[in-house]
């Protein structure tokens, strides 16, 4: 009985999630928030192993992989492009986004350390700021390029 109820709830949740009444921007924020959280959290131990700059690059790759899976399955499931086209476009968009995120984070980190913030705290704030700076380009690029569809735009 409990398993049946769980299956019913899962199907109902999936149905609600896929309904057009939930704006794509809300779906993107939820899925993107999860991918961004992964990016942010994995960067912390990576910094201890590789340093801030390399950790940002590796965390971006992990976050982008997570994002692709979530965006493709939860947000842009009605995309009018093939998987191969999506992977190629996703990579192209993410090169631009990574430049914004990493560049912003490095500049902000330098500023924060120079004004006296402890390096660990500066890196946390700088990484969060970089992720926020890249979010609008990320959404726009994936909506218009990676997962484009006549029905989405």
């Amino acid at each position: 009985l409990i398993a049946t109820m769980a299956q019913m709830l899962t199907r109902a949740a999936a149905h609600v999630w896929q309904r057009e009444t939930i704006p794509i921007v809300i779906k993107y924020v939820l899925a993107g928030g999860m991918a961004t959280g992964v990016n942010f959290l994995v960067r912390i131990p990576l910094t201890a192993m590789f340093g801030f700059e390399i950790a940002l690059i590796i965390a971006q790759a992990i976050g982008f992989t997570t994002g692709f899976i979530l965006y493709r399955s939860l947000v842009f499931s009605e995309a009018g492009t093939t998987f191969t086209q999506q992977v190629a476009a996703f990579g192209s968009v993410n090169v631009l986004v990574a430049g914004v995120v990493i560049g912003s984070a490095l500049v902000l980190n330098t500023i924060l350390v120079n004004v006296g913030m402890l390096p660990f705290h500066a890196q946390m704030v700088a990484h969060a700021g970089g992720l926020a700076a890249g979010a609008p380009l990320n959404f726009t690029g994936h909506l218009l390029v990676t997962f484009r569809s006549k029905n989405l735009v």
Side-chain angles (χ1 to χ4, degrees):
L1 179 63
I2 294 173
T4 303
M5 289 175 56
Q7 286 177 338
M8 289 174 53
L9 287 172
T10 302
R11 282 191 211 124
H15 176 71
V16 169
W17 182 265
Q18 294 300 330
R19 286 182 40 188
E20 293 179 16
T21 57
I22 299 176
I24 195 168
V25 173
I26 301 299
K27 290 180 182 182
Y28 169 80
V29 168
L30 294 173
M34 287 185 269
T36 300
V38 167
N39 181 327
F40 187 79
L41 292 174
V42 300
R43 198 254 334 135
I44 298 166
L46 289 170
T47 298
M49 295 187 300
F50 301 107
F52 186 59
E53 295 82 2
I54 300 300
L56 284 171
I57 295 167
I58 297 169
Q60 284 297 117
I62 293 168
F64 287 153
T65 302
T66 304
F68 181 79
I69 294 165
L70 293 173
Y71 296 147
R72 189 169 197 271
S73 61
L74 300 176
V75 182
F76 301 111
S77 58
E78 299 296 319
T81 53
T82 66
F83 177 79
T84 304
Q85 291 170 325
Q86 290 172 3
V87 169
F90 198 82
S92 299
V93 168
N94 284 335
V95 166
L96 296 173
V97 172
V100 171
V101 171
I102 294 168
S104 300
L106 292 175
V107 168
L108 188 53
N109 184 59
T110 300
I111 292 168
L112 294 172
V113 168
N114 286 336
V115 298
M117 188 176 275
L118 295 173
F120 178 80
H121 297 135
Q123 291 168 357
M124 298 289 274
V125 172
H127 189 198
L131 290 168
L137 176 61
N138 191 34
F139 174 70
T140 305
H142 293 317
L143 178 67
L144 299 178
V145 178
T146 308
F147 301 108
R148 69 183 177 276
S149 169
K150 292 179 273 182
N151 299 329
L152 294 176
V153 290

